[in-house]
């Protein structure tokens, strides 16, 4: 009964906050046109070259971001699933970043660290343009979302049954073979779900593209916004949102299939982890250096942004910027907007976490079903 | 500084706004619904106003025979729409004026940027929620008149207006401030700025200019028009092709672009002739200066208009009159950082100190209305 109640409340939630508003936009878009006319205009939008290039860009940037994101996450996942070291929990908790940072803050972080006047260029004494182009979009996405893959991959890696490795070893498999024939197939589903998670998040990217995309790049999400609020073309907006819905649904479905086929076999083995200091020197140094780099990669931009809040116009350090928030006239609106956005933030982030873990459960459930058939 | 919003969470609010009037206010009829919080439910606010207005109308209907001479126009409300950046201080001046002079409650609702404001007025064209819309600019005037969104009213004090700012001779849209759209530069990063359109293409300025998208930003629109006026309909695209490598980025709004500029991301930005006085006035620095290319600036005029179907037309006219008074006009330079439209109002010292465009460039609004869409499409093609 409790699960049914849960399902019902979830259904009602989605109905109220998701399907009704979406349906109302579609109704508004096609108000006063006949079915034939509506179909014709949908067809026109679907077959336009602009639609094709938006879909291509949206998919392409998400694929590149997800690929790089997974590659960045893999060594971290390996480290936290195989070794204990100071700050392990901290590294593990990096995966919360995407849930607590709003995308507009990510934009500010990127600019203050990687911008032409950012910390990195200042330290190097250069003025490389790292952010206002395709590279910048991918960089911001990897920074924002790579850690989504850490948790998924790490927990899978950790739970690969030791007996498989031992059996293979006793049958004379050497380490390389062991990695490619045992670890990789067992880990693949988790890597794929990590990829898919990042892919779906970046597929729906909005704020980052809006600032760094300029006039050149638009994801479907940005295109929908532009059609609704700038061009007042509700038909195009409706078509784009349908395309987006269908594609992201398809990606989730496809990933579930892939995971089903790859036959996960996981047995929870929560053995105590060896300390990183007990690892071979080479891997100890390599992993340690990588972890430090990763932490700098994530914390550098965030700390730079925070530090910049204390730099006043003219270059001195102080609280003037914060005082400005509270000057009479602006204070009411600022305080209200802070309150409003924190409440909204908490609510939306919770929903985001719920939805994300929902997706994970969904994927994992698919994997379970796959296993049941083996 | 008028007209431009940061890309922010207001996107979500606007979605609610777009959907709310039609899908929330229909159906249940409520005479008095007090909004729980005026900011969270826009639909609620509007219902509340509608409810109050309805009750008032009923009361008037019942009372009309008793006060046969009473004017049906003297309601005690006034609803104004503007954009996010409309200064709090000017809002206060308007609200206090109406409270003290007429006992009227004036309310100002903000809708993102000029584009968002226009779209809101257009979406509500058959049943306007506002009596007065303040803050459309010349690039929207042609469209707004074509769509018949506003009613004519020649305010008291119209005689004192500068000639060049009256862009609608019928006064459906009345100018209340003006400015020049020009480039600005950071003299610390760029001690030797370009002075001509040709010099602006110099390869030494690679990735040095921050511009705004003409599809979304009013300085962006005005700057595109400036290049069309200067280089001609046949030449502006070629100019942009050459300019492209010197552009660092094209932001969707003025605030983001200007924010990047003051952070030091690029030495040149598209802005207003009155931006440098802001830094002189409030930050005591003349580091940021006007970059008036070939002495030309594009004339931007901000207008206000009474909506067709306004519920409080009497108060709406009072507001347009008030916008023309010295009391309001002399507040513009230091609050809105735009010039007064009424002649013989002196400017603060900080405004006198900066370089200004000698030549005002302007393309008539009906010509803009006829061609802007394809100018913009062609421009997008080149820049994409």
């Amino acid at each position: 009964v409790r699960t049914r109640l849960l399902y019902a409340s979830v259904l009602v939630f989605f109905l109220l906050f998701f399907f009704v508003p979406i349906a109302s936009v579609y109704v508004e878009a096609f108000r006063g046109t006949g079915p034939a006319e509506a179909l014709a205009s949908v067809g026109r939008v679907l077959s336009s070259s602009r639609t094709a290039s938006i879909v291509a860009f949206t998919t392409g940037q998400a694929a590149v971001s997800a690929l790089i994101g997974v590659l960045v996450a893999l060594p971290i996942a390996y480290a936290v699933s195989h070794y204990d070291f100071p700050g392990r929990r901290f590294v593990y908790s990096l995966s919360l970043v995407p849930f607590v940072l709003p995308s507009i803050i990510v934009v500010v972080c990127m600019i203050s660290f990687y911008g032409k006047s950012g910390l990195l260029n200042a330290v190097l004494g250069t003025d490389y343009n790292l952010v206002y182009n395709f590279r910048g979009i991918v960089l911001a996405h990897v920074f924002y979302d790579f850690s989504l893959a850490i948790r998924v991959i790490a927990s899978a890696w950790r739970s690969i049954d030791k007996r498989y490795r031992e059996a293979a070893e006793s049958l004379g498999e050497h380490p390389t073979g062991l990695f490619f024939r045992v670890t990789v197939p067992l880990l693949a589903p988790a890597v794929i779900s990590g990829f898919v998670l990042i892919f779906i998040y970046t597929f729906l990217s909005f704020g980052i593209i809006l600032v760094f995309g300029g006039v050149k790049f638009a994801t479907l999400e940005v295109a929908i916004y532009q059609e609704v609020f700038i061009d007042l073309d509700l038909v195009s907006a409706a078509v784009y949102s349908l395309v987006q819905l269908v594609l992201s649904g398809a990606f989730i479905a496809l990933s579930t299939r892939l995971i089903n086929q790859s036959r996960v076999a996981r047995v929870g083995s929560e053995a105590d982890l060896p300390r990183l200091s007990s690892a071979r020197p080479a891997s100890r140094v390599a992993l340690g250096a990588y972890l430090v780099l990763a932490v700098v990669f994530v914390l550098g931009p965030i700390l730079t942004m925070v530090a910049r809040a204390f730099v006043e116009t003219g270059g001195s350090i102080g609280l003037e910027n914060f005082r400005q928030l509270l000057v009479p006239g602006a204070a009411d609106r600022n305080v209200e907007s802070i309150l409003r956005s924190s409440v909204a933030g908490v609510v939306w982030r919770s929903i985001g976490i719920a939805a994300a873990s929902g997706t994970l459960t969904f994927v994992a459930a698919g994997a379970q079903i796959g296993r049941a058939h083996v | 500084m008028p007209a431009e919003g940061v890309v922010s969470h207001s996107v979500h609010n606007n979605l609610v706004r777009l959907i709310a009037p039609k899908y929330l206010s229909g159906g249940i009829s409520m005479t008095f619904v007090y909004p729980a919080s005026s900011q969270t439910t826009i639909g609620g606010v509007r219902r509340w106003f509608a409810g109050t207005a309805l009750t008032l109308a009923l009361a008037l209907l019942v009372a009309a025979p008793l006060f046969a001479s009473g004017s049906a126009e003297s309601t005690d409300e006034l609803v104004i729409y503007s954009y996010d950046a409309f200064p709090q201080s000017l809002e206060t001046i308007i609200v206090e004026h109406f409270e003290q002079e007429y006992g009227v409650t004036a309310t100002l609702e903000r809708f993102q940027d000029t584009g968002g404001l226009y779209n809101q007025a257009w979406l509500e064209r058959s049943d306007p929620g506002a009596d007065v819309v303040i803050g459309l600019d010349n690039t929207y005037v042609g469209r707004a008149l074509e769509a018949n969104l506003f009613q004519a009213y020649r305010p008291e004090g119209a005689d004192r207006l500068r000639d060049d700012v009256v862009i609608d001779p019928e006064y459906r849209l009345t100018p209340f401030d003006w400015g020049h759209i020009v480039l600005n530069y950071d003299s610390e990063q760029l001690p030797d700025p370009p002075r001509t359109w040709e010099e602006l293409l110099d390869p030494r300025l690679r990735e040095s200019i921050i511009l705004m998208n003409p599809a979304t930003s009013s300085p962006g629109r005005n700057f595109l028009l400036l290049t069309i006026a200067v280089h001609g309909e046949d030449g502006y695209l070629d100019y942009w092709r050459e300019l492209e490598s010197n552009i660092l980025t094209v932001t969707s709004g003025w605030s983001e672009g200007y924010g990047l500029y003051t952070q030091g991301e690029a030495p040149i930005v598209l802005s207003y002739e009155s931006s440098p006085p802001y830094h002189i006035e409030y930050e005591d620095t003349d580091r940021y200066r006007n970059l008036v290319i070939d002495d030309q600036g594009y004339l931007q005029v901000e207008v206000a208009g009474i909506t067709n179907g306004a519920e409080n037309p009497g108060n709406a006219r009072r507001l347009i009159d008030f916008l023309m008074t010295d009391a309001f006009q002399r507040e513009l330079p230091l609050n809105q950082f735009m010039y007064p439209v009424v002649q013989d109002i002196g400017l603060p010292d900080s405004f006198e100190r900066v370089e200004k465009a000698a030549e005002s460039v302007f393309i008539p609004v009906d010509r803009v209305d006829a061609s802007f869409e394809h100018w913009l499409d062609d421009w997008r093609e080149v820049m994409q």
Side-chain angles (χ1 to χ4, degrees):
Chain A
V1 181
R2 266 186 64 190
T3 34
R4 243 185 235 169
L5 214 73
L6 192 72
Y7 277 121
S9 60
V10 168
L11 203 69
V12 168
F13 173 82
F14 275 107
L15 219 68
L16 266 182
F17 292 96
F18 194 68
F19 292 112
V20 170
I22 285 187
S24 69
V25 170
Y26 292 146
V27 169
E28 179 70 30
F30 297 107
R31 182 191 291 267
T33 52
E37 210 182 319
L39 268 181
S41 50
V42 168
R44 206 166 42 243
V45 177
L46 273 181
S47 58
S48 77
S49 63
R50 178 168 148 80
T51 307
S53 71
I54 291 170
V55 170
F57 170 74
T58 311
T59 321
Q61 60 83 20
V64 173
S65 306
L67 186 68
I68 299 177
V70 164
L71 291 178
V72 172
L74 268 171
I76 302 176
Y78 175 78
V80 294
S81 60
H82 286 73
Y83 297 105
D84 191 17
F85 51 87
R88 180 176 169 276
R89 291 185 66 87
F90 176 76
V91 170
Y92 210 69
S93 65
L94 287 183
S95 55
L96 287 174
V97 164
F99 298 110
V100 294
L101 277 192
S103 63
I104 203 73
I105 298 296
V106 170
V107 165
V108 180
C109 287
M110 285 290 121
I111 292 167
S112 52
F113 195 74
Y114 296 105
K116 288 190 89 170
S117 59
L119 188 67
L120 196 64
N121 269 320
V123 168
L124 297 174
T126 52
D127 69 336
Y128 291 123
N129 174 11
L130 295 168
V131 291
Y132 307 98
N133 43 34
F134 186 75
R135 259 199 318 272
I137 292 170
V138 172
L139 184 67
H141 280 164
V142 171
F143 164 79
Y144 199 10
D145 293 324
F146 87 94
S147 55
L148 288 169
I150 297 179
R151 212 166 267 255
V152 195
I153 299 175
S155 61
W157 216 329
R158 199 172 159 186
S159 56
I160 288 176
D161 196 332
K162 264 193 182 153
R163 282 171 298 178
Y164 287 111
R165 298 168 53 93
E166 285 160 6
E169 267 170 341
S170 70
L171 290 171
E173 188 68 278
H174 56 86
T176 324
L178 192 73
F179 179 75
F180 283 108
R181 280 194 270 192
V182 179
T183 311
V184 169
L186 288 174
L187 204 57
V191 174
I192 293 171
S193 39
F195 178 89
V196 168
L197 264 182
I198 303 177
F199 184 92
I200 289 172
Y201 265 72
T202 50
F203 186 78
L204 301 174
S205 181
F206 180 73
I208 289 165
I209 308 281
L210 207 56
V211 180
F212 294 152
V215 278
K216 284 196 167 57
F217 304 114
T219 48
L220 281 161
E221 192 89 347
V222 169
I224 293 167
Y225 162 77
Q226 288 173 340
E227 295 300 345
V228 172
F229 292 108
I230 296 151
D231 298 333
L232 286 179
D233 182 348
L234 296 185
V235 173
S236 295
V239 172
Y240 292 154
S241 74
L242 267 180
V243 170
Q244 190 184 47
L245 216 61
V246 168
L247 284 180
S248 46
F251 291 132
I252 294 175
L254 182 74
S255 67
T256 332
R257 273 190 81 91
L258 284 175
I259 292 162
N260 286 352
Q261 283 165 0
S262 56
R263 292 180 188 175
V264 202
R266 287 191 212 156
V267 177
S269 59
E270 290 283 320
D272 280 355
L273 295 170
R275 296 197 57 82
L276 183 56
S277 48
S278 68
R280 278 177 303 138
S283 53
R284 195 170 66 210
V285 170
L287 270 183
Y290 188 85
L291 287 170
V292 169
L293 266 180
V295 170
V296 170
F297 175 68
V298 177
L299 286 190
I302 297 176
L303 293 178
T304 318
M305 176 199 63
V306 172
R308 279 216 173 182
F310 295 92
V311 179
E312 295 166 4
T313 345
S316 53
I317 309 290
L319 295 171
E320 175 60 23
N321 296 332
F322 293 91
R323 206 185 60 76
Q324 284 293 329
L325 284 175
L326 298 172
V327 294
D332 294 355
R333 287 177 69 193
N334 286 330
V335 169
E336 184 192 289
S337 124
I338 289 167
L339 284 178
R340 193 153 34 118
S341 54
S342 356
V343 172
V346 168
V347 171
W348 283 112
R349 289 297 143 181
S350 326
I351 293 169
I353 292 170
S357 49
T359 316
L360 281 178
T361 323
F362 185 60
V363 173
Q368 293 271 352
I369 296 164
R371 214 180 313 157
H373 287 294
V374 177
Chain B
M1 217 69 54
E4 290 293 326
V6 206
V7 174
S8 68
H9 308 291
S10 61
V11 170
H12 175 72
N13 290 341
N14 277 4
L15 255 181
V16 174
R17 280 172 185 154
L18 179 71
I19 295 161
K22 297 223 167 64
Y23 298 95
L24 295 181
S25 61
I28 321 154
S29 82
M30 292 185 229
T31 324
F32 271 103
V33 180
Y34 288 94
S37 145
S38 60
Q39 284 295 326
T40 48
T41 51
I42 302 301
V45 179
R46 208 160 288 143
R47 271 203 305 261
W48 184 74
F49 282 126
T52 316
L54 192 72
T55 317
L56 274 168
L58 270 174
L60 275 171
L61 207 68
V62 172
L66 300 176
F67 308 96
S69 62
S71 160
E73 284 187 356
S74 49
T75 55
D76 59 2
E77 283 190 356
L78 175 65
V79 182
I80 307 161
Y81 282 179
S82 191
Y83 40 70
D84 280 344
F86 192 79
Q88 188 72 44
S89 47
L90 294 184
E91 179 186 348
T92 309
I93 289 172
I94 292 172
V95 168
E96 284 179 358
H97 173 76
F98 272 84
E99 185 65 53
Q100 285 160 12
E101 291 291 314
Y102 314 112
V104 164
T105 312
T107 335
L108 188 130
E109 264 192 66
R110 292 178 163 86
F111 295 90
Q112 220 172 350
D113 46 27
T114 315
L117 178 63
Y118 177 79
N119 289 353
Q120 189 69 26
W122 185 83
L123 283 168
E124 295 181 358
R125 62 197 178 284
S126 54
D127 181 20
D131 300 305
V132 176
V133 174
I134 295 186
L136 296 181
D137 81 350
N138 47 290
T139 58
Y140 286 90
V141 167
R143 276 213 270 174
L145 296 183
E146 183 71 29
N148 200 24
L149 300 183
F150 298 98
Q151 49 178 291
Y153 173 64
R154 190 173 190 277
E156 284 172 29
D159 301 333
R160 299 171 59 218
L161 289 172
R162 295 167 55 99
D163 291 338
D164 55 352
V165 296
V166 182
I167 47 185
D168 173 27
E170 291 178 43
Y171 290 93
R172 285 161 295 183
L173 286 165
T174 302
F176 69 92
D177 68 24
W178 73 279
H180 276 140
I181 298 293
V182 295
L183 296 175
N184 285 193
Y185 75 103
D186 176 353
S187 61
E188 280 181 22
Q189 275 196 59
L190 191 69
D192 175 29
R195 287 292 168 195
T196 64
W197 290 101
E198 193 56 41
E199 283 172 27
L200 197 61
L201 302 176
D202 193 324
R204 81 183 164 103
L205 300 174
R206 202 182 133 71
E207 292 182 335
S208 299
I209 307 171
I210 297 172
L211 297 177
M212 288 106 215
N213 190 341
T216 46
S217 140
S218 70
R221 293 166 87 86
N222 282 297
F223 186 70
L224 177 62
L225 293 177
L226 177 61
T227 61
I228 293 169
V230 171
H231 303 281
E233 244 180 301
D234 303 325
Y236 80 102
L237 292 174
D238 286 332
Y239 187 80
W240 278 93
R241 274 188 202 102
E242 291 188 63
L243 186 66
E244 202 183 346
S245 57
N246 284 356
I247 299 172
L248 176 66
T249 185
V250 179
T251 61
S252 59
W254 174 85
S255 318
E256 304 143 50
Y258 202 76
L260 291 176
Y261 164 72
T262 50
Q263 279 230 348
E265 289 292 284
I268 300 176
V269 71
L270 174 60
S271 193
Y272 301 82
E273 196 175 73
S274 44
S275 305
Y278 173 88
H279 296 282
I280 295 176
E281 216 39 78
Y282 290 109
E283 292 167 0
D284 200 24
T285 172
D286 67 347
R287 165 182 180 174
Y288 300 108
R289 297 180 192 170
N290 281 328
L291 180 49
V292 185
I293 300 292
D294 280 332
D295 289 330
Q296 294 166 319
Y298 198 83
L299 176 70
Q300 186 193 30
V301 179
E302 287 197 285
V303 294
I306 304 170
T307 55
N308 258 329
E311 286 182 16
N312 308 295
N315 291 334
R317 279 179 220 131
R318 283 170 170 167
L319 177 59
I320 305 289
D321 287 343
F322 179 63
L323 296 180
M324 302 298 110
T325 59
D326 284 5
F328 183 81
Q329 287 287 316
R330 65 167 176 259
E331 300 295 333
L332 287 167
L334 290 184
N335 288 290
Q336 176 81 332
F337 278 85
M338 293 289 272
Y339 303 126
V341 284
V342 164
Q343 286 163 7
D344 350 299
I345 288 186
L347 289 174
D349 182 49
S350 55
F351 279 70
E352 301 292 354
R353 277 168 59 192
V354 302
E355 189 186 342
K356 295 196 187 63
E359 184 191 341
S360 278
V361 178
F362 193 73
I363 303 177
V365 290
D366 48 345
R367 213 183 132 215
V368 171
D369 186 45
S371 310
F372 192 77
E373 283 306 310
H374 88 245
W375 287 338
L376 183 64
D377 284 344
D378 291 348
W379 178 87
R380 274 174 168 164
E381 202 114 305
V382 168
M383 300 299 286
Q384 264 163 10

